[in-house]
Amino acid sequence: MIDLYNAESRFAECRGFRLHYRMMGSGEGPFMLLLHGSFLSMRSWRSVAGPLSEMGTVVVLDRPAFGNTSRPVPSRQNAVSYAPEAQSDMIDEFLGVLGIEKAILVGNSTGGTLAMLTALRHPERVSGLVFVDAMIYSAYAASGVPSVMKPVLKAASPLFARLMRLLINKFFDRLLLSFWNDPARLSAGTIAAYRGDMMQGNWPRGFWEVFLETHHLHLDEQLGSISVPVLVLTGEADRTVKVEESVRLAEELQDSVLEVVADCAHLPHEEQPEVFLGAMRKFLLRMM
């Protein structure tokens, strides 16, 4: 079995970002793009990427502002955007760069938000969706910086980026532990590795730019246009995205299956990888 970190580290230039990714698999079977949640990195898929690559081709991607992907600062000379719409367009373009016509998008948390948005904006590119404790009705998808405040906040970006550095440094470990039903399962070494993934280059400014571009996406009003097969997974003890939200999501989508994972919180693919893989195997068989 291929281990995630034995796969070659690759980069692709896309919409002003130098995207870091790894690819595994034989080229046969479906193509799966794995999108991690906020404060994480491609490391989040370390327990499942290898087994998934036995079922098809898998690409794991460090999203903008995280991992080894670049963190350019938007300017008049550099019109790069961290907005969710721009990131969904980036995913579409990235798949094109790889020569992939259609992909199953697997998104956890805010990665699920971007998977949904990509399916809505580029339906021709998506063959299936897997939402893992995805933020569709709340948080990233339903929050936002008031437009009247944006010019003021943008002007003060260096100051707020420094504040972001202080806050994230202080609460990072506690935040990661809150994603787990049993925090004892998350080792100090893994937390340290996630810190290293997150805190590279001008990371406070990158994260600040993501925050500045948050706004209500009204995804719940567009669910009826999703026609591809969908798997919805949720940890039964998730405190970040309530289980009720995932249940509602499965009920409101046309062709979906719901899997509630016991003894698990916000990261089923990390905390209960075998259960996650079992659900994925059934989903992929259903799509054949």
Side-chain angles (χ1 to χ4, degrees):
M1 183 188 301
I2 299 175
D3 180 79
L4 172 60
Y5 286 92
N6 286 335
E8 180 186 358
S9 187
R10 307 183 188 190
F11 292 88
E13 300 294 331
C14 203
R15 290 187 167 258
F17 292 97
R18 187 169 185 257
L19 299 177
H20 176 236
Y21 70 100
R22 296 174 191 259
M23 181 182 291
M24 295 170 287
S26 63
E28 299 179 358
F31 184 95
M32 292 167 272
L33 176 62
L34 312 186
L35 302 167
H36 64 79
S38 296
F39 301 100
L40 302 172
S41 67
M42 66 167 61
R43 187 178 305 276
S44 189
W45 306 105
R46 64 195 178 281
S47 298
V48 299
L52 285 176
S53 71
E54 298 175 356
M55 309 175 208
T57 300
V58 171
V59 164
V60 287
L61 174 70
D62 279 334
R63 289 172 42 205
F66 305 103
N68 290 323
T69 285
S70 65
R71 296 157 173 81
V73 176
S75 66
R76 289 182 181 179
Q77 294 74 36
N78 185 7
V80 66
S81 174
Y82 289 80
E85 292 86 355
Q87 290 201 47
S88 69
D89 294 345
M90 179 205 72
I91 290 168
D92 170 63
E93 186 173 309
F94 173 64
L95 291 170
V97 168
L98 296 184
I100 304 301
E101 292 185 5
K102 284 184 174 289
I104 298 170
L105 303 185
V106 183
N108 169 235
S109 194
T110 53
T113 312
L114 293 177
M116 173 70 81
L117 196 55
T118 304
L120 291 169
R121 292 173 66 85
H122 305 281
E124 73 287 347
R125 188 69 80 179
V126 179
S127 59
L129 290 162
V130 180
F131 295 121
V132 188
D133 298 82
M135 289 184 172
I136 304 299
Y137 302 102
S138 63
Y140 183 91
S143 60
V145 177
S147 57
V148 69
M149 290 295 297
K150 279 198 173 184
V152 176
L153 295 175
K154 281 183 178 292
S157 285
L159 172 64
F160 282 105
R162 287 196 293 272
L163 178 61
M164 195 71 72
R165 177 192 294 272
L166 292 173
L167 290 173
I168 294 176
N169 259 317
K170 182 175 182 179
F171 295 108
F172 186 82
D173 295 15
R174 191 182 308 175
L175 177 65
L176 259 60
L177 289 167
S178 74
F179 292 158
W180 289 66
N181 184 44
D182 182 359
R185 294 173 179 150
L186 182 59
S187 70
T190 300
I191 294 175
Y194 270 129
R195 271 188 172 269
D197 294 340
M198 173 88 182
M199 298 174 186
Q200 299 187 46
N202 195 6
W203 66 268
R205 183 61 182 268
F207 191 81
W208 173 248
E209 293 296 336
V210 171
F211 173 79
L212 271 180
E213 295 297 342
T214 59
H215 57 274
H216 201 307
L217 298 173
H218 302 282
L219 297 179
D220 54 323
E221 301 170 11
Q222 306 174 67
L223 297 182
S225 65
I226 300 293
S227 58
V228 297
V230 180
L231 171 61
V232 179
L233 289 113
T234 178
E236 67 172 3
D238 192 353
R239 296 174 292 276
T240 307
V241 175
K242 293 181 180 178
V243 175
E244 291 78 10
E245 291 189 36
S246 294
V247 172
R248 176 186 170 189
L249 179 61
E251 291 174 345
E252 294 188 351
L253 289 166
Q254 296 179 38
D255 182 11
S256 67
V257 173
L258 173 68
E259 182 90 25
V260 180
V261 183
D263 190 18
C264 180
H266 193 52
L267 307 172
H269 52 294
E270 293 199 47
E271 195 163 14
Q272 297 292 347
E274 290 304 321
V275 178
F276 173 87
L277 289 168
M280 284 294 298
R281 289 188 185 96
K282 288 188 289 186
F283 178 68
L284 295 176
L285 285 172
R286 185 165 70 91
M287 290 190 61
M288 293 177 62

